[in-house]
Structures are given as C-alpha cells and as structure tokens.
Amino acid sequence: MYFELGRPEPPRRRTGVAGFFTRRISDELNVLLMPTGTGTSWQLPGGDAETDEFMHEAYVREIAEKTGLSPTPPEEILVVDHVPRGVTEAEGLDVVFKGADLIPYSADPETTAYRWATLGETDSLCLGPERDRIHSAHEAWLTGRTAYLIWGERVTAHRP
C-alpha cells in the first residue's frame, strides 16, 4: 500500500448498512429512526460492517444492537450512497436495505432509543445527506429501482 513518509496511511473504506423500516400510523407512512452518535439529529438504524463481515450479517447485528429489535435478513437494496472521505472518517459506501420484519429482541442492546417519524418529519429531524438518503430509499421502494447516490444526491445530479 502506498503512503508518504511521515503521513499516516489513509483510513480504510468503510461499509455502512442501514434499514429502511416503515409502518403506517394513523394512515400515514412512518420510518424508523435512531439518534446519531452525537445525539443532535436522527438517522436510519444501522452501523458499519466489520472487516470480512457480509453486509446482510452486519445489518442484522447492527439493527439488533442499536434498537433492541431483531430484524430478519434483508433481501432488497434500496440505496447505495458513496460517501467521500471526510476530515475524520474514511470514504465509504452506505447501503440501505428494505427493512424486513422486526421481532422484539431480549438481549441488552447498546441503545434502545428509536422513534417512528413521518417522511415530512424527517426533513427537520435528519441532516441533509441522511434526509436525502431516506427520501431516495422511499422512492426506490415505490418504483422498484435502486438509487445510486453520492453523499445523498443522485449521481445524475453530478452529471452535465
């Protein structure tokens, strides 16, 4: 691997996994959200895959750890979002799966904080890229067409 003397090796590519879980509450579609690590906004439940961990296994593990709910393995990818490298985090691919059934889970999760929010509420609860990822996941779910994004924006938005 190439790196310059005196400079640390760039971080590895991160693979994030998340679930787009929906349910109807009072005839309105709601999405399952969990607080971000800073607790200042909300995001789809999920986390990062470990080295050599399959994405579907990471998805099941992360949803269970973060929400205290146990999902069945996913079968459908709604969104692939290429997240450029930031100042403190590695470049990554965030994959949003269509959330399958959730079963109550009895183990002690890292956190059990989650909430259901309407798509309209996600506009104020979530930061821009996450909000855009949620809306793209919803559109992909409705149309049956996987969305490819770069930092929350459709790739076609980056082309002339």
Side-chain angles (χ1 to χ4, degrees):
M1 220 179 261
Y2 172 79
F3 63 95
E4 294 180 38
L5 280 177
R7 289 188 178 217
E9 191 174 323
R12 66 174 179 81
R13 179 177 275 181
R14 173 190 64 72
T15 303
V17 293
F20 182 75
F21 295 92
T22 60
R23 74 175 193 185
R24 292 220 170 261
I25 301 173
S26 301
D27 282 340
E28 196 163 3
L29 187 70
N30 280 247
V31 179
L32 185 66
L33 299 176
M34 65 178 221
T36 60
T38 62
T40 57
S41 63
W42 294 80
Q43 64 188 9
L44 294 173
D48 289 339
E50 296 173 358
T51 303
D52 296 327
E53 183 178 29
F54 291 111
M55 287 189 299
H56 70 281
E57 292 170 343
Y59 163 89
V60 171
R61 178 183 54 75
E62 285 289 341
I63 301 300
E65 287 176 1
K66 298 294 189 331
T67 65
L69 303 169
S70 180
T72 58
E75 296 179 4
E76 183 179 356
I77 293 175
L78 299 176
V79 172
V80 176
D81 191 2
H82 189 138
V83 180
R85 189 170 104 184
V87 175
T88 59
E89 74 176 45
E91 167 196 26
L93 295 174
D94 286 340
V95 177
V96 179
F97 290 99
K98 173 60 185 116
D101 295 334
L102 289 169
I103 302 160
Y105 183 64
S106 60
D108 218 5
E110 293 174 13
T111 177
T112 56
Y114 61 87
R115 66 169 289 174
W116 292 95
T118 66
L119 288 170
E121 289 172 327
T122 64
D123 291 342
S124 62
L125 293 171
C126 304
L127 297 177
E130 184 69 9
R131 178 195 61 233
D132 297 341
R133 195 176 293 129
I134 290 168
H135 287 285
S136 291
H138 180 241
E139 183 180 333
W141 178 47
L142 293 175
T143 64
R145 295 184 60 182
T146 302
Y148 174 55
L149 313 175
I150 296 176
W151 196 226
E153 291 184 31
R154 289 196 173 275
V155 170
T156 53
H158 291 274
R159 294 184 180 170

